[in-house]
């Protein structure tokens, strides 16, 4: 009993012993309880305790955090927890930023900026203008290499993802981590399209979330092909080119329909860094990137090894820093006139022009050839050319030596003094006032107020006919004629024919001191070519929308008459002599009757030649933008040579025809030369002139009179030069009948 009571008293101590060693505790207790009697009960007790200790250890190992398996379990646990919270956070951000966007029901694809497609008379594209610089093409209409190249280098899983590509994003992240720098992006083409169309380029979390939402919406609303087409027609390719059509024409001067494999690879390569990789800026870098694209296309199975070798052997693109080709001067002229015709441009337009691309090319070649051969040594750095037909339609326009270097149009925007190229208007006014090509004037020193005009060679020829004076560009005779008919009458005639610039009403207008553009000067010559009708210069024939609705069509098919037929015939005969024996000999076009006039301004700053056949009227200017003098370049020099070269090419294969009123080739005018007046009364042209009532004969007192079928009347009282003009001579009496001519007396 005592022993039992003692054991009961000790038991609570065991229960409370906690951290003490079990073996040590039980040995002591057993000795006192059993009194050294037996070990057997103790042994049984030990055997009973061992499983409990082992279980205790296993429980401690499992719950105490030790071991690799436990570590993995904890990692999985916390990843799940963090993933749940991350998803909740991302969901919250998506909901927050999504709520800041307009309702999805109001989302729509923004209109692509209007494109203006400018066409030549043949229907070929001259250029595309607008913010994009090119029209939109469907995938079927563009080279198949283009979408393949873009998919290979930008989004290989484009046709398999749902707008967002987790695998592509993971691959890009891994690549960037392993390389230690940003070498790949994780955005899909759909995301890039969403960013380009709807969002700003700011790199913010809000923009990225909105980009994802918009990409999902695009994938839901449009097919993959539609998304890819929208992307290719809107993405930026550098050098102010948006869309593959604009880029193809910018870099290769061809449509995206026609680009080859190497060119398609170059275009796709630009998407990584359009401005830096532009072939206009760094052609070597652009070519190196194109090689990377070709490798990607091979990996994707789009092209074979042989195709890669062919593409790599092609000459790399060497794009100029700007569009090249003279046709862009014409395109700029169209764009300058367009707003005044239709107002604001709100949709894609098609512009039919009057430009003949074949003539445009020949004009550019003529200017370049003459400039390359003689420009540098004669200090002439720029040139311009414009050619129009009898209706005023501009067939060719070259505004400068190289459009890529300078886009300023010297043909339609630069105003220059025309020099002696203005004289035909003076002579035409004189003919209208009753003079004739055979009227006699004295080439001698002239003083008009304080002005004393001199001839180019500072020589005087005495009595000459007006035809001879024009052929040799005698300044003294032109000045006399201006004072005879009056500066205002000359201005009126010039305005009637098409000169719109301001002109000074003074005697010096005879020498072309009032500035005009080459386009208006050339168009004012056209009435001499077309029989006396105004030729309003125009380049736009028709403006239509993309679906064919006509918004504008010109009405220059019924021009007013501005010169009488007899005046035109006489002027043509006179200006033909400029070519055959005067200052325009370099402007000859073999086989074709040509008429025209040269012009040179003070100190050889500007040199012009304007001439025409029965087919085209063409004006050419040479000079320098800064007004520096050339080395004795006259209108009969470089401009006349360029005129001849262009007109010969332009008339190749055409049958020659005479100028208006000169069916016999213009040989009915007296030959110029010497100081003697032409023989009087022995030219058929003289007889025709008098029959038409336009011949001038001196009266018995020396006063100029006009002779017609009714008699003679005095001309231009008070308009003779206010000083003596050389030495006056009383001309002999003229024979006026055909019988007198035939009988020789």
């Amino acid at each position: 009993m005592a022993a039992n009571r003692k054991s009961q008293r000790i038991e609570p101590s065991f229960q409370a012993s906690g951290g003490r060693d079990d073996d040590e505790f039980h040995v002591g207790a057993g000795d006192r309880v059993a009194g050294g009697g037996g070990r057997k009960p103790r042994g049984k007790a030990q055997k009973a305790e061992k499983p409990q200790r082992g279980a205790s250890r296993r429980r401690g190992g499992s719950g105490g955090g030790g071991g690799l398996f436990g570590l993995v379990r904890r990692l999985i646990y916390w990843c799940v927890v963090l993933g749940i919270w991350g998803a909740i956070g991302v969901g919250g951000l998506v909901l927050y930023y999504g709520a800041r966007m307009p309702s999805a029901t109001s989302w729509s694809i923004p209109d692509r900026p209007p494109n203006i497609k400018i066409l030549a008379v043949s229907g070929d594209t001259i250029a595309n203008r607008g913010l994009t610089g090119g029209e939109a093409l469907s995938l079927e209409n563009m080279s198949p290499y283009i979408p393949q190249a873009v998919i290979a280098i930008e989004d290989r899983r484009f046709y398999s993802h749902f707008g967002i590509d987790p695998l592509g994003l993971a691959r890009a992240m891994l690549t960037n981590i392993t390389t230690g720098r940003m070498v790949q992006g994780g955005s899909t083409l759909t995301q890039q399209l969403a960013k380009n169309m709807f969002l700003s380029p700011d790199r913010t979390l809000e923009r990225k979330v909105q980009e994802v939402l918009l990409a999902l919406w695009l994938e839901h609303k449009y097919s993959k092909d539609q998304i890819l087409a929208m992307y290719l027609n809107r993405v930026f390719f550098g050098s102010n080119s948006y869309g593959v059509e604009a880029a193809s024409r910018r870099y290769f001067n061809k449509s995206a329909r026609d680009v080859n494999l190497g060119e398609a690879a170059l275009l796709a390569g630009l998407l990584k860094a359009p401005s830096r990789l532009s072939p206009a800026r760094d052609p070597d870098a652009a070519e190196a990137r194109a090689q990377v694209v070709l490798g990607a296309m091979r990996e994707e199975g789009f092209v074979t090894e042989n195709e890669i070798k062919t593409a790599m052997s092609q000459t790399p693109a060497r794009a100029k820093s700007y569009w090249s080709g003279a046709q862009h001067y014409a395109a700029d002229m169209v764009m300058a006139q367009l707003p005044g015709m239709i107002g604001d441009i709100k949709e894609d337009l098609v512009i039919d022009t009057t430009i003949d691309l074949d003539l445009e090319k020949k004009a550019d070649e003529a200017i370049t050839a003459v400039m390359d051969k003689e420009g540098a040594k004669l200090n002439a750095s720029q040139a311009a050319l414009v050619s129009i037909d009898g209706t005023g339609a501009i067939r060719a326009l070259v505004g400068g030596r190289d459009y890529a270097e300078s886009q300023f149009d010297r043909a339609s925007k630069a105003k220059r003094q025309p020099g002696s190229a203005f004289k035909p208007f003076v002579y035409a006014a004189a003919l209208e006032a009753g003079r004739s090509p055979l009227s006699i004037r004295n080439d001698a020193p002239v003083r008009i107020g304080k002005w004393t005009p001199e001839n180019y060679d500072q020589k005087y020829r005495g009595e000459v006919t007006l035809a001879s004076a024009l052929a040799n560009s005698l300044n003294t005779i032109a000045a006399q004629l201006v004072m005879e008919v009056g500066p205002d009458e000359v201005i009126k005639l010039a305005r009637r024919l098409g000169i719109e610039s301001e002109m000074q009403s003074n005697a010096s207008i005879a020498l072309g001191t009032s500035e005009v553009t080459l386009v208006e000067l050339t168009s004012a010559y056209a009435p001499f070519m077309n029989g006396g009708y105004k030729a309003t210069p125009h380049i736009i024939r028709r403006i239509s929308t993309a679906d064919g609705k006509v918004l504008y069509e010109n009405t220059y098919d019924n021009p007013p008459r501005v010169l009488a037929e007899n005046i035109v015939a006489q002027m043509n005969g006179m200006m033909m002599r400029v070519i055959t024996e005067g200052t325009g000999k370099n402007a000859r076009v073999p086989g074709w009757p040509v008429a025209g006039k040269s012009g040179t301004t003070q100190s050889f700053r500007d040199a012009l030649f304007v001439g025409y056949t029965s087919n085209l009227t063409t004006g050419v200017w040479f000079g320098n933008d800064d007004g520096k003098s050339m080395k004795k370049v006259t209108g009969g020099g470089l401009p006349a040579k360029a005129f001849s070269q262009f007109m010969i090419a332009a008339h190749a294969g055409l049958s020659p025809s005479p100028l208006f009123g000169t069916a016999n080739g213009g040989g009915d005018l007296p030959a110029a030369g010497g100081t003697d007046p032409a023989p009087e009364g022995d030219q058929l042209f003289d007889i025709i002139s008098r029959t038409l009532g336009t011949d001038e004969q001196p009266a018995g007192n020396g006063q100029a009179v006009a002779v017609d079928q009714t008699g003679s009347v005095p001309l231009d009282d008070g308009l003779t030069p206010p000083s003596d003009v050389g030495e006056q001579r009383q001309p002999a009496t003229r024979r006026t009948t055909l019988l007198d001519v035939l009988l020789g007396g």
Side-chain angles (χ1 to χ4, degrees):
M1 291 291 292
N4 291 337
R5 286 194 297 269
K6 188 175 181 180
S7 179
Q8 292 173 356
R9 287 195 299 270
I10 293 173
E11 186 65 25
S13 299
F14 165 74
Q15 293 175 351
S17 63
R20 294 169 61 182
D21 184 85
D22 291 344
D23 290 339
E24 181 182 349
F25 177 79
H26 282 290
V27 169
D31 287 344
R32 287 190 293 272
V33 172
R39 297 275 181 174
K40 198 170 184 177
R42 179 182 155 201
K44 292 179 180 178
Q46 286 178 334
K47 291 179 181 178
E49 289 295 327
K50 285 181 180 179
Q52 294 177 4
R53 289 199 303 269
S56 175
R57 290 191 185 99
R58 286 195 299 270
R59 288 193 298 269
S62 175
L68 178 63
F69 183 70
L71 177 62
V72 172
R73 290 184 62 183
R74 285 196 299 272
L75 286 176
I76 294 174
Y77 170 79
W78 285 112
C79 285
V80 172
V81 171
L82 292 175
I84 293 172
W85 281 108
I88 294 173
V90 171
L93 286 174
V94 171
L95 289 175
Y96 174 73
Y97 289 125
R100 292 165 59 92
M101 299 175 66
S103 172
T105 58
S106 65
W107 294 356
S108 62
I109 298 296
D111 292 334
R112 189 172 183 268
N115 178 69
I116 297 91
K117 187 176 183 179
I118 303 172
L119 304 177
V121 291
S122 61
D124 294 327
T125 300
I126 294 176
N128 286 279
R129 288 288 189 269
L131 293 178
T132 58
E135 63 181 314
L137 298 179
S138 64
L139 290 183
E140 294 78 14
N141 287 333
M142 68 179 67
S143 168
Y145 293 124
I146 294 176
Q148 291 175 354
V150 171
I151 289 174
I153 197 65
E154 289 291 319
D155 191 356
R156 299 186 182 190
R157 290 170 41 82
F158 172 72
Y159 279 101
S160 60
H161 63 63
F162 53 90
I164 305 168
D165 185 9
L167 293 179
L169 180 60
R171 183 179 63 249
M173 292 177 61
L174 181 61
T175 302
N176 295 336
I177 291 172
T178 55
T179 58
R181 58 192 180 92
M182 189 70 174
V183 295
Q184 283 190 16
S187 295
T188 65
L189 291 179
T190 312
Q191 288 177 264
Q192 294 180 43
L193 177 63
K195 178 181 65 176
N196 291 338
M197 288 196 303
F198 299 103
L199 304 172
S200 69
D202 300 334
R203 293 189 175 185
T204 63
L205 180 59
E206 179 178 6
R207 188 199 63 75
K208 196 65 179 179
V209 171
Q210 293 174 346
E211 175 187 302
V212 170
L213 293 175
L214 289 167
L216 295 174
W217 173 78
L218 285 170
E219 290 279 345
H220 172 72
K221 190 173 181 64
Y222 298 96
S223 69
K224 287 288 187 179
D225 285 350
Q226 288 175 318
I227 292 172
L228 183 56
M230 283 190 286
Y231 176 84
L232 292 175
N233 283 307
R234 294 172 183 253
V235 69
F236 180 56
F237 285 93
S239 296
N240 201 35
S241 301
Y242 292 83
V244 290
E245 178 69 6
S248 298
R249 293 193 178 277
R250 169 66 182 85
Y251 298 126
F252 316 127
N253 199 27
K254 65 168 68 172
S255 171
R257 300 173 176 88
D258 306 318
V259 301
N260 57 37
L261 174 58
E263 292 164 343
L266 189 145
L267 291 178
L270 295 178
L271 298 176
K272 180 181 180 180
S275 298
R276 179 172 60 84
L277 295 176
S278 168
R281 177 179 179 178
D282 192 342
D284 293 332
E287 181 62 21
R289 178 63 176 170
Q291 303 295 333
V292 176
V293 176
L294 290 172
M297 294 180 71
R298 178 180 53 200
E299 293 175 5
E300 291 300 303
F302 289 135
V303 294
T304 66
E305 188 65 33
N306 289 334
E307 289 176 315
I308 294 289
K309 291 179 180 178
T310 301
M312 288 184 173
S313 65
Q314 294 170 345
T315 304
R318 296 287 177 180
K320 293 189 177 182
S321 59
Y322 207 76
W323 287 305
S324 60
Q327 70 272 16
H328 290 289
Y329 288 113
D332 289 348
M333 186 178 186
V334 168
M335 292 304 297
Q337 296 179 4
L338 198 55
M341 294 179 173
I342 63 171
D344 294 337
I345 302 170
K346 299 180 180 179
E347 58 183 319
D348 286 0
L349 299 177
V350 178
I351 313 296
D352 292 294
T353 73
T354 61
I355 293 294
D356 184 321
L357 277 180
D358 184 52
L359 293 180
E360 184 77 7
K361 181 180 179 181
K362 291 174 179 176
D364 196 14
E365 290 173 348
I367 290 294
T368 301
V370 174
M371 187 68 76
D372 289 347
K373 184 178 180 180
E374 301 183 71
K377 67 181 181 181
L378 296 178
N379 195 34
S381 63
Q382 280 295 349
L385 182 151
V386 61
S387 186
I388 68 175
D389 64 16
T391 68
I394 297 175
R395 297 302 187 189
L397 179 81
V398 180
R401 180 176 184 175
D402 187 345
Y403 186 85
E405 294 180 359
S406 173
Q407 295 79 55
F408 180 68
D409 182 5
R410 296 154 187 84
S412 65
K413 294 182 179 179
K415 289 191 173 184
R416 305 273 183 168
Q417 292 183 352
S420 294
F422 191 84
K423 288 178 181 175
F425 309 123
V426 175
Y427 280 80
L431 295 182
E432 285 190 337
R435 305 338 185 243
S436 84
L438 297 177
S439 297
I440 303 295
R441 290 297 180 273
N442 191 18
D443 177 25
V446 177
R447 181 175 58 84
I448 302 176
K450 296 182 180 180
W451 181 48
T452 55
E454 295 180 338
N455 294 326
Y456 164 73
D457 57 5
Q458 296 182 334
K459 297 179 181 179
Y460 300 97
R461 294 160 179 77
E463 293 179 339
V464 294
T465 63
L466 297 190
S468 178
L470 181 60
N472 289 279
S473 196
L474 302 182
N475 293 337
T476 60
I477 305 301
Q480 293 178 52
L481 292 178
V482 165
M483 296 310 298
E484 289 180 24
V485 302
D488 290 340
E489 294 302 315
V490 174
I491 291 175
K492 288 179 181 178
L493 183 137
R495 289 245 186 270
R496 208 164 68 225
L497 270 60
I499 300 295
E500 297 179 351
S501 298
E502 182 180 356
M503 292 176 281
Q504 299 295 324
S505 181
N506 53 42
S508 67
I509 196 174
L511 307 187
T513 54
S514 294
E515 295 181 338
V516 298
T517 68
L518 184 63
V519 168
E520 64 181 327
L521 180 65
T522 304
S523 65
Y525 270 62
F528 301 129
M529 179 258 280
N530 66 23
Y533 294 94
K534 185 172 184 179
T536 302
H538 59 280
I539 194 171
I540 297 177
R541 293 192 300 117
R542 186 184 302 108
I543 303 173
S544 308
T545 61
D547 58 7
K549 180 182 177 182
V550 177
L551 303 180
Y552 166 86
E553 195 159 9
N554 73 46
T555 55
Y556 298 116
D557 54 352
N558 189 26
R561 174 171 286 281
V562 291
L563 283 176
E565 292 183 1
N566 61 317
I567 303 298
V568 174
Q570 293 178 81
M571 287 299 302
N572 285 342
M574 295 169 72
M575 283 198 282
M576 285 178 68
R577 286 182 56 177
V578 174
I579 310 298
T580 58
E581 57 197 76
T583 60
K585 293 179 181 178
N586 285 326
R588 292 172 178 171
V589 180
W592 282 82
V594 182
K597 186 69 185 73
S598 59
T600 310
T601 63
Q602 188 176 16
S603 301
F604 304 100
R605 290 190 179 95
D606 303 284
L608 303 95
F609 186 87
V610 185
Y612 51 93
T613 63
S614 58
N615 187 42
L616 290 172
T617 301
T618 300
V620 183
W621 167 85
F622 274 74
N624 296 297
D625 288 337
D626 57 7
K628 289 184 178 179
S629 299
M630 295 177 286
K631 295 180 180 179
K632 296 186 177 180
V633 176
T634 66
L638 299 185
K641 292 177 181 179
F643 170 92
S644 176
Q645 185 165 329
F646 166 70
M647 294 291 268
I648 289 173
H651 289 76
L654 301 180
S655 299
S657 56
L659 292 172
F660 182 87
T662 62
N664 64 345
D668 49 8
L669 280 177
T675 58
D676 296 331
E680 300 177 8
D682 59 357
Q683 299 295 333
L684 181 59
F685 190 86
D686 186 22
I687 299 170
I688 295 174
S689 297
R690 275 183 255 135
T691 302
L692 292 173
T694 59
D695 186 39
E696 174 195 338
Q697 292 193 48
N701 59 2
Q703 185 180 23
V705 297
V707 177
D708 57 22
Q709 295 176 350
T710 61
S712 60
V713 293
L715 291 176
D716 302 318
D717 292 339
L719 290 178
T720 55
S723 65
D724 292 336
V725 182
E727 181 178 323
Q728 300 297 323
R729 182 185 70 87
Q730 294 294 333
T733 303
R734 295 184 179 185
R735 293 169 295 192
T736 60
T737 67
L738 181 59
L739 180 61
D740 290 336
V741 174
L742 295 176
L743 294 178

